[in-house]
Amino acid sequence: MARSLVLSLTLAFLFIGMVSARDWNILNQFKGLKPTTTTSQNGVASLKGPNLNGYCESWRVNVELHNIRDFTVVPQECVWFVQQYMTSSQYDDDVERAVDAAILYLGKTCCEKKKCDGMDAWIFDIDDTLLSTIPYHKSNGCFGGEQLNTTKFEEWQSWGKAPAVPNMVKPFHEIRERGFKIFLVSSRKEYLRSATVENLIEAGYYSWSNLLLRGEEEEKTSVTQYKADVRTWLTSLGYRVWGVMGAQWNSFAGCPVPKRTFKLPNSIYYIA
């Protein structure tokens, strides 16, 4: 009985969120998909209609496929699902599979420590690639359901307490030990450099070749263009960018195109 009550209250909360969300609610934008509600004898509202679990999983997968772009918030009816996924063992497993693919690819490159000439490069993003922002979303309870409060988020970044993304410390060092020069390219602002360096080291990342953050001039360009410009700069110096790993598609877009890209799952936000 208690379990049923908790489930009913959860569904009621979701319904309230859908009513207040209005335009956020993608289900309301498709004819025939709008959920209906019924009220039980105890007055608790519940949802009827589409399979929200299946719908939200489909939405998340299409974000990862880059079919769904430029969303400002997670559909309100799927916030609970995104939170459940991003804090689950399935998320950890999905990151590990991406890492497996990267390590397998490394075996096919020509870069080996004994043969490297120092010009083979690998690029990592930071947030949700090396350092996890899940604690921030847990403490703020939004998980993409509200537009990111940049001031509040940057304050959290300045604390330097972000943990490592699961399964990422080991491949970071394996790539480095193979002879690749590691470049960290982040959309974080330059004033966060000290906090970012300390956080990375504390989380287990060290001995990278360069940490590139956005200065005032770079802030005037899009994140996508900024990261593409960094690859252009590295290429102009003679570096061969063998791989880029990031949690947002802006890590890979634009020219020059890296030899391989490895996308980590993240459907909490979209940054172009």
Side-chain angles (χ1 to χ4, degrees):
M1 178 66 71
R3 186 176 178 181
S4 298
L5 179 59
V6 170
L7 179 59
S8 298
L9 290 173
T10 301
L11 290 173
F13 173 78
L14 286 173
F15 171 65
I16 292 170
M18 284 188 284
V19 172
S20 63
R22 291 190 297 276
D23 292 341
W24 291 2
N25 188 332
I26 291 180
L27 291 181
N28 285 340
Q29 299 179 24
F30 294 96
K31 184 177 180 180
L33 289 181
K34 182 177 180 180
T36 58
T37 61
T38 58
T39 303
S40 63
Q41 291 181 350
N42 59 9
V44 176
S46 61
L47 289 171
K48 287 180 63 177
N51 180 338
L52 276 180
N53 194 70
Y55 168 79
C56 292
E57 173 62 6
S58 178
W59 182 86
R60 185 191 70 79
V61 168
N62 275 277
V63 167
E64 300 300 346
L65 292 172
H66 213 204
N67 293 329
I68 295 175
R69 308 181 183 186
D70 301 314
F71 61 90
T72 56
V73 292
V74 173
Q76 193 70 12
E77 67 273 18
C78 293
V79 172
W80 67 276
F81 184 89
V82 170
Q83 177 176 358
Q84 184 180 55
Y85 169 74
M86 294 297 295
T87 56
S88 70
S89 61
Q90 184 61 58
Y91 166 74
D92 295 356
D93 290 345
D94 290 347
V95 171
E96 189 172 12
R97 295 293 78 74
V99 167
D100 289 345
I103 298 303
L104 182 64
Y105 164 69
L106 283 176
K108 300 177 181 179
T109 68
C110 64
C111 184
E112 298 177 10
K113 196 166 187 177
K114 294 180 180 179
K115 300 179 181 179
C116 283
D117 59 3
M119 300 306 292
D120 295 292
W122 192 281
I123 296 174
F124 286 97
D125 201 341
I126 293 179
D127 288 308
D128 294 308
T129 301
L130 299 180
L131 300 177
S132 174
T133 68
I134 296 300
Y136 171 82
H137 296 288
K138 278 185 176 179
S139 63
N140 288 274
C142 54
F143 275 89
E146 301 174 0
Q147 291 192 41
L148 190 67
N149 184 320
T150 303
T151 301
K152 197 172 183 180
F153 184 58
E154 289 180 2
E155 179 184 9
W156 178 81
Q157 290 175 321
S158 72
W159 298 343
K161 300 299 182 183
V165 169
N167 304 308
M168 285 303 298
V169 174
K170 183 178 178 180
F172 173 91
H173 290 295
E174 182 167 346
I175 292 171
R176 180 181 60 80
E177 289 168 2
R178 283 175 179 256
F180 288 88
K181 293 291 182 67
I182 302 294
F183 292 90
L184 308 184
V185 183
S186 175
S187 59
R188 288 189 177 202
K189 295 178 181 178
E190 181 61 39
Y191 83 91
L192 291 167
R193 176 172 295 275
S194 294
T196 300
V197 169
E198 292 176 7
N199 196 164
L200 286 164
I201 293 173
E202 185 176 340
Y205 305 105
Y206 49 84
S207 298
W208 57 81
S209 294
N210 205 338
L211 168 62
L212 297 149
L213 305 178
R214 297 178 81 190
E216 291 184 5
E217 288 301 315
E218 287 83 9
E219 289 177 30
K220 297 176 182 179
T221 63
S222 68
V223 176
T224 297
Q225 187 60 53
Y226 158 67
K227 292 184 177 181
D229 288 345
V230 170
R231 293 197 301 275
T232 299
W233 173 66
L234 290 175
T235 302
S236 71
L237 295 177
Y239 284 102
R240 298 176 290 273
V241 180
W242 285 93
V244 178
M245 186 170 281
Q248 291 286 312
W249 284 97
N250 61 37
S251 295
F252 322 124
C255 295
V257 178
K259 294 178 184 292
R260 277 292 302 268
T261 61
F262 298 91
K263 170 77 166 61
L264 298 187
N266 183 0
S267 50
I268 299 177
Y269 53 86
Y270 185 97
I271 300 176

